[in-house]
Amino acid sequence: MDFNFSEDQILMRDAAREFAEKRLKPIAEELDAESHLPAELLKETAELGYFGLLAPEEYGGLAIDYLSYALVIEEISKMCAALAIAISVQNSLVIKAISRYGSAEQKSKYLPKLAAGEYIGSYCLSEPAAGTDAGALQCRAIRTGNDFVFNGTKSWVTSAGYASIFLVFAITDPSKGRKGISCIIVEKDAKGMSLGQPEKKMGLKASDTREVSFVDCNVPVVQLLGEENHGLKVAFSLLEAGRVGVAAQALGIAEAAFAEAVSYARERKQFGQAIIEFQATQFKLAEMATRIEASRLLTYRAAVLYDSGEPHVKEISMAKLFSSQTANYVANEAVQIHGGYGYVKEYAVERYFRDARITEIYEGTTEAQKMVIARVLMQETQH
Amino acid sequence: MFADSEYAGFRTEVRAFCESEIAPLALEADEKQIFPPTHLDKLQQKGWWKIQLPEEYGGINYNTVQYSIIVEELSRVCGSTGLTVAAHNSLGVGPIYSFGTPEQRDRYLRTDSSQAVLIAFGLTEPQAGSDAGGTQSVAVRNGDHYVLNGTKCWITSSNLCKYAIVTARTDKSGGVKGISSFILEKGMKGFSVGKKENKMGCRGSDTAFLHFDDVHVPVESRMGAEGEGFKQFMITLDGGRISIGAMALGLAVGAFEVAAKYAATHKQFGKPIGEYQAIQWKLADMATRIEAARGLIYGASVMKDKKQNYSQQSAMAKLYAAEVCNFVTSEAIGVLGGDGYSPRYPVERMYRDMKLTEIGEGTSEIQRMVIARAILKSIKVDA
C-alpha cells in the first residue's frame, strides 16, 4: 500500500504532534495523578478544531479523511491517551452518528456546537449486563405521547461529566428484542437523568468515565436519531469505523512507550555498558519495533479502505485487535527495560502500561474483534 | 502430586486467616498507599515475621514449602502483604540467621515477642540495579567503626523497619570481592529514609530510598568478614526468588479464581460467558500454566529444604511464575472486560501488583542469565 501522505495529511499530523509535545507532554503525568482533564485544556483542544475533525465543513468542522484522523489520534495518544479518547468518541461516534443519521434540524442544532467543541458528546451503549453483547440492553425508552420515557443505567460513559449531549441506545419496542432498540439524543439537563461519580480506573485516569442513570426521564420524540428500532444497526456501524480511532490510539501509546524504552536503554549503564549494547535488549527492541510497524500498516490501511469505500469491516477489526495487543506488548517490554524505574510514576512508561490495557477492552474487546473477523472470514469463504 | 499437597490442612488454615484478616484491607492498602498497621500485630501473633527461625529465637521453624504456602496465600488476597512478608523473611531475617554471629542473632533476631520488628535489605542503588556488584556505597574503616556513605533505592519496608542490612564497598580496588554487609539500626546519626516511591502496584508496600551520610557503624555490626557481601547476597537472593515466585503464583491464583467465577456467572448473548469456547480456552491455559508454576515453586522449595543446590531451580521458578502471573492477570482482565479495568474487582490491582514480580529481586532478564550460566557451566567442553 502507498502511504504517501498528502500535504494536508502531513500538516494535520505535524500540528497534532506539536500540540502533543508542547502542550500535553509537560502535564500528562499531572492529569493522570489528578484524574481530570481541565476545562481550559478542553477549550484549547476545541479551539484547535480537534473536537470537530470529522464534522462536515458546512457545520464548521474540518471534515478530514480517516487517514488524517488516525494520524491526529496517534500523535495525541503519544502524550495523552485520555484526551485522545475524548476526541475519538466526539468525532467517530457522536459527530459521525449525527452527520450520518441526523435529521436536518438535528444537524443544524448540534453539529455546529459539536464541531466547535462548544458541546462535547457522550456515547451510551454499554450497560452493567450488556457489554460485548450490546443487544442485551435493558435500558428502556418507552413512547408515551410525544415523549420517550427513559429508565435504566448506562456504564463506562466517556466524557459524561462535561458532555452536553448523550447518544443513548435504549429499547423502544420490548416485543422486538434486538430489533426494538433505538438511538435517542438526550441533552444534559434532561429531568430524571443523573450522572454517577467518576469511575476509578487502572489507566486513562484523566478521562472522565461515569455511569449515567435514567429514572422516568422524558425526552421529546423529535430527539430520535435515525429510524425507530434500528438503533443497533446505528451502534454497530459507528463502532465499526470508530475502531480506527482506538487502533490509532493504541499505535500512539506503543510508539511513545517504544521511544522511552530506546532512550532509556541508551542512557542506562549496567555491567559497564549501556544496556542497549546487550543482545537481549536489542532483540526486545527489534521485536517491539516490528510489531509497531505492523500495527501502523494495519491501522493506516484500515483508514484508507474506509476512506475509499472498499470493504473494511474485517480490516478495521484486525487493525484494532493487533494494535491494541501490540500496545500492551510494547508497554510491558518498555517497563521491563526500565526495571524498577518503569514501576514508578516519574517515568511515563508506567502510565503507558496502565493506559494500554483499556485499548483491548473498549469499543469492542479483543474477543469481540475476533468475532467480527471470523464472521467476515466465514462469509468471504462461503461458496 | 506437588510437594505442597501434603500440607492441604495447613493451607486451609493459612487461607482462612488471609481471607478473614488480610483480604478486607487489600483495597484500602492500595488506595491509601499504606501497609495496614494492624497487619504488623496480626502477623506477629501468627509468627509470620519469623517463619523459618528456630523456636529459640521466637520463630515458628517452618520449612520452605510452608513458607511458600504462606506467601502464596497472602498474595492471593493482597500482593503488598505477600511482598512485605517475603522481603522481611527472606532478605532481612534470613541473612542475619545464616551469616550473623551468635551475638548478632541475639541482638537482631531474639527480639521482644510482643511486637513486630521488621528488617529491610538494602542492595540496589540508582546506578546498580541488575548489576548489583556495581555498588557505589562506601564504608571506610576508622578504628572501631566504619563511616558509611551512599544511597539505596527500591527498599521494601524502609519506613516500617527497625534494622536494615546494607551492602557497601570496603575495598576501593573495586570488584565484587570488595563488598561487605552491615546491619544498620534506625536512629543512627546520618541514616535516613528518603522519598517514598509512588508505584504502579504493590502500593501497600512501603518502598523508599535509604540515605547514608557519614553513618558511624560499629565494627561489630558488620555481617561476616570484609568482602563477603556479594557472596552473601547471591545466596540470599537464591532463597528470596522462591518467595517472589510464590507471590507471583498467589497473585495468579487470586486473579484466576475471580475470572473463573465471573465466567461462570456473567451472562452475555443469553448464557454465561464460560460456555463460550474462547473463554474456556483462556481458563484452560491459565489453569495449566498455574499448575506448572506451582510445580516449579514447590519443587525449588523442597530442594532448598533438602539442602540441594537449588540456585537454577529458584531462578526458573521465579522467572516462570512471574511470567505466568503476567499472562494470567492479563487474561483475567480480558475475561472481565471493562469490569477488569476497575478497582471494583481485585484483578485490576493484581495486574498492577504483578509487574513487580518480573522486576523485583532480579528481573526476568537476570533470572535468564542465572539459568543460562548454570546450564553452560554444567556442560564440559573438551578443549
Side-chain angles (χ1 to χ4, degrees):
Chain A
M1 300 234 36
D2 186 7
F3 295 120
N4 286 333
F5 299 132
S6 68
E7 261 177 55
D8 284 351
Q9 286 164 339
I10 292 169
L11 273 175
M12 285 305 299
R13 183 196 65 193
D14 291 352
R17 185 175 291 171
E18 193 184 330
F19 173 62
E21 283 281 339
K22 292 202 174 139
R23 187 67 181 92
L24 302 177
K25 190 177 182 180
I27 57 170
E29 184 191 341
E30 185 189 328
L31 299 181
D32 179 74
E34 292 176 3
S35 298
H36 177 60
L37 290 175
E40 177 196 325
L41 178 65
L42 293 172
K43 191 164 165 258
E44 216 178 310
T45 307
E47 283 163 5
L48 291 167
Y50 291 127
F51 285 122
L53 293 170
L54 298 180
E57 281 173 341
E58 54 188 299
Y59 297 105
L62 295 175
I64 60 173
D65 57 273
Y66 258 60
L67 182 54
S68 303
Y69 173 66
L71 292 170
V72 170
I73 298 290
E74 177 188 345
E75 292 301 330
I76 290 176
S77 301
K78 285 181 186 173
M79 295 306 152
C80 183
L83 181 62
I85 196 60
I87 294 172
S88 180
V89 169
Q90 170 88 348
N91 282 288
S92 59
L93 300 180
V94 178
I95 285 177
K96 271 288 172 186
I98 296 175
S99 315
R100 194 186 296 167
Y101 301 102
S103 65
E105 293 74 25
Q106 287 169 339
K107 287 182 188 176
S108 54
K109 184 175 181 191
Y110 296 117
L111 285 176
K113 286 182 170 160
L114 287 166
E118 201 178 312
Y119 273 13
I120 301 292
S122 278
Y123 184 82
C124 307
L125 177 62
S126 289
E127 296 182 2
T132 296
D133 182 12
L137 301 184
Q138 289 170 3
C139 182
R140 290 181 173 219
I142 302 304
R143 199 161 171 163
T144 316
N146 286 328
D147 285 343
F148 289 109
V149 183
F150 277 80
N151 278 289
T153 298
K154 293 292 176 179
S155 43
W156 316 122
V157 181
T158 300
S159 301
Y162 36 78
S164 297
I165 59 167
F166 299 78
L167 299 193
V168 185
F169 294 86
I171 297 170
T172 38
D173 187 345
S175 69
K176 289 187 177 163
R178 302 166 70 89
K179 290 188 173 150
I181 292 168
S182 303
C183 178
I184 297 156
I185 307 171
V186 181
E187 298 192 358
K188 73 170 176 194
D189 43 14
K191 205 171 156 232
M193 180 174 85
S194 60
L195 304 181
Q197 288 301 305
E199 293 278 356
K200 290 179 185 168
K201 305 188 297 296
M202 175 192 295
L204 233 63
K205 284 176 177 285
S207 161
D208 186 278
T209 312
R210 299 173 195 244
E211 272 196 351
V212 177
S213 303
F214 303 94
V215 179
D216 293 335
C217 171
N218 283 48
V219 176
V221 289
V222 292
Q223 294 297 89
L224 175 70
L225 183 70
E227 276 181 76
E228 195 166 354
N229 297 333
H230 284 68
L232 214 49
K233 224 170 72 189
V234 172
F236 289 150
S237 79
L238 291 169
L239 282 173
E240 236 170 62
R243 286 167 184 156
V244 172
V246 178
Q249 182 194 38
L251 174 61
I253 294 171
E255 289 173 312
F258 178 74
E260 293 289 329
V262 171
S263 85
Y264 187 82
R266 279 188 190 287
E267 77 196 31
R268 173 71 170 172
K269 288 198 169 77
Q270 290 286 275
F271 304 101
Q273 57 183 5
I275 60 171
I276 202 167
E277 301 296 332
F278 290 97
Q279 196 170 45
T281 310
Q282 292 169 7
F283 277 34
K284 274 189 204 294
L285 293 172
E287 183 78 36
M288 291 155 83
T290 305
R291 295 197 198 188
I292 288 172
E293 205 52 27
S295 294
R296 189 199 322 279
L297 296 177
L298 282 171
T299 302
Y300 293 173
R301 184 180 73 134
V304 168
L305 289 174
Y306 181 84
D307 283 330
S308 66
E310 289 173 64
H312 55 262
V313 172
K314 181 184 71 182
E315 290 73 12
I316 290 178
S317 276
M318 285 176 163
K320 200 266 184 188
L321 169 70
F322 192 77
S323 287
S324 60
Q325 288 178 331
T326 296
N328 280 283
Y329 175 82
V330 171
N332 183 57
E333 290 288 47
V335 168
Q336 201 61 32
I337 286 171
H338 279 68
Y341 294 100
Y343 205 57
V344 290
K345 310 275 175 190
E346 286 91 333
Y347 287 78
V349 290
E350 189 275 339
R351 187 178 72 252
Y352 296 141
F353 180 86
R354 290 182 289 104
D355 286 354
R357 200 65 189 76
I358 193 62
T359 65
E360 280 200 68
I361 298 171
Y362 63 17
E363 298 199 25
T365 59
T366 281
E367 292 69 29
Q369 306 312 318
K370 289 180 184 173
M371 286 163 60
V372 170
I373 295 165
R375 195 184 66 225
V376 178
L377 275 177
M378 290 192 286
Q379 284 163 2
E380 285 173 348
T381 50
Q382 247 169 14
H383 293 292
Chain B
M1 285 307 287
F2 297 123
D4 61 316
S5 56
E6 57 186 284
Y7 291 92
F10 175 75
R11 183 185 286 279
T12 305
E13 283 172 31
V14 170
R15 177 168 294 193
F17 171 81
C18 292
E19 284 183 347
S20 70
E21 306 300 321
I22 305 300
L25 296 181
L27 178 62
E28 194 184 327
D30 179 68
E31 282 185 342
K32 294 191 175 163
Q33 287 189 260
I34 187 164
F35 186 80
T38 51
H39 280 7
L40 291 170
D41 286 342
K42 281 181 182 164
L43 296 171
Q44 173 69 10
Q45 284 158 22
K46 298 291 288 181
W48 290 0
W49 298 116
K50 294 182 180 180
I51 295 174
Q52 295 202 273
L53 274 187
E55 280 151 22
E56 54 173 312
Y57 293 100
I60 52 177
N61 205 21
Y62 283 170
N63 62 26
T64 308
V65 173
Q66 290 170 300
Y67 173 37
S68 296
I69 289 172
I70 291 173
V71 174
E72 181 194 334
E73 291 297 329
L74 284 169
S75 306
R76 176 178 162 271
V77 300
C78 178
S80 293
T81 306
L83 172 65
T84 303
V85 167
H88 164 82
N89 279 282
S90 290
L91 310 182
V93 172
I96 295 178
Y97 184 70
S98 300
F99 310 119
T101 60
E103 293 73 27
Q104 287 173 338
R105 289 181 178 184
D106 282 348
R107 179 174 170 89
Y108 303 112
L109 303 179
R110 206 189 289 275
T111 45
D112 177 2
S113 64
S114 69
Q115 56 178 348
V117 175
L118 265 62
I119 306 171
F121 178 67
L123 172 66
T124 303
E125 299 182 0
Q127 301 305 324
S130 288
D131 181 13
T135 298
Q136 290 173 359
S137 290
V138 175
V140 178
R141 177 90 184 242
N142 183 8
D144 62 353
H145 65 270
Y146 289 86
V147 179
L148 178 66
N149 280 286
T151 293
K152 298 287 178 180
C153 57
W154 318 122
I155 309 309
T156 304
S157 301
S158 277
N159 291 287
L160 290 171
C161 74
K162 182 171 181 190
Y163 305 115
I165 303 168
V166 305
T167 53
R169 204 162 278 291
T170 42
D171 175 357
K172 283 193 180 155
S173 64
V176 296
K177 287 185 177 158
I179 298 171
S180 307
S181 303
F182 301 90
I183 307 168
L184 269 53
E185 190 164 345
K186 283 282 177 65
M188 282 179 158
K189 197 163 169 252
F191 174 26
S192 60
V193 178
K195 190 187 62 130
K196 189 168 170 173
E197 296 288 357
N198 188 359
K199 305 192 298 297
M200 175 194 293
C202 291
R203 291 167 69 79
S205 80
D206 161 30
T207 313
F209 280 87
L210 297 181
H211 297 291
F212 321 121
D213 181 15
D214 285 337
V215 184
H216 286 222
V217 187
V219 169
E220 57 267 27
S221 295
R222 190 187 67 225
M223 192 172 75
E226 273 197 14
E228 286 184 351
F230 187 79
K231 205 177 113 193
Q232 288 169 353
F233 72 65
M234 294 300 271
I235 294 169
T236 300
L237 288 174
D238 279 343
R241 279 167 191 153
I242 298 180
S243 67
I244 299 301
M247 174 188 166
L249 176 62
L251 286 168
V253 170
F256 172 74
E257 288 175 358
V258 173
K261 188 174 170 196
Y262 193 89
T265 52
H266 184 74
K267 286 184 183 164
Q268 292 284 276
F269 304 102
K271 57 185 182 183
I273 59 171
E275 291 185 24
Y276 290 91
Q277 207 165 34
I279 301 295
Q280 290 170 0
W281 286 38
K282 275 188 202 297
L283 295 176
D285 284 345
M286 291 157 85
T288 304
R289 296 194 198 184
I290 285 172
E291 283 301 275
R294 182 177 297 289
L296 284 170
I297 296 294
Y298 289 98
S301 301
V302 168
M303 286 180 79
K304 181 166 192 272
D305 285 336
K306 288 185 175 166
K307 306 207 183 313
Q308 294 166 330
N309 181 356
Y310 68 100
S311 174
Q312 183 184 342
Q313 280 71 21
S314 70
M316 285 176 162
K318 197 240 175 200
L319 168 66
Y320 190 74
E323 293 193 345
V324 166
C325 186
N326 192 330
F327 173 80
V328 171
T329 53
S330 179
E331 287 290 69
I333 291 173
V335 171
L336 269 70
D339 283 333
Y341 205 60
S342 153
R344 274 180 282 175
Y345 287 83
V347 294
E348 185 273 333
R349 183 181 74 246
M350 290 162 171
Y351 182 68
R352 288 182 288 105
D353 288 355
M354 166 280 292
K355 198 65 197 136
L356 180 133
T357 68
E358 290 188 323
I359 297 170
E361 294 194 31
T363 60
S364 293
E365 291 70 24
I366 289 296
Q367 307 311 323
R368 289 188 166 92
M369 283 167 61
V370 169
I371 296 162
R373 209 175 279 155
I375 292 167
L376 294 173
K377 210 171 130 188
S378 72
I379 295 173
K380 302 219 179 346
V381 182
D382 294 329

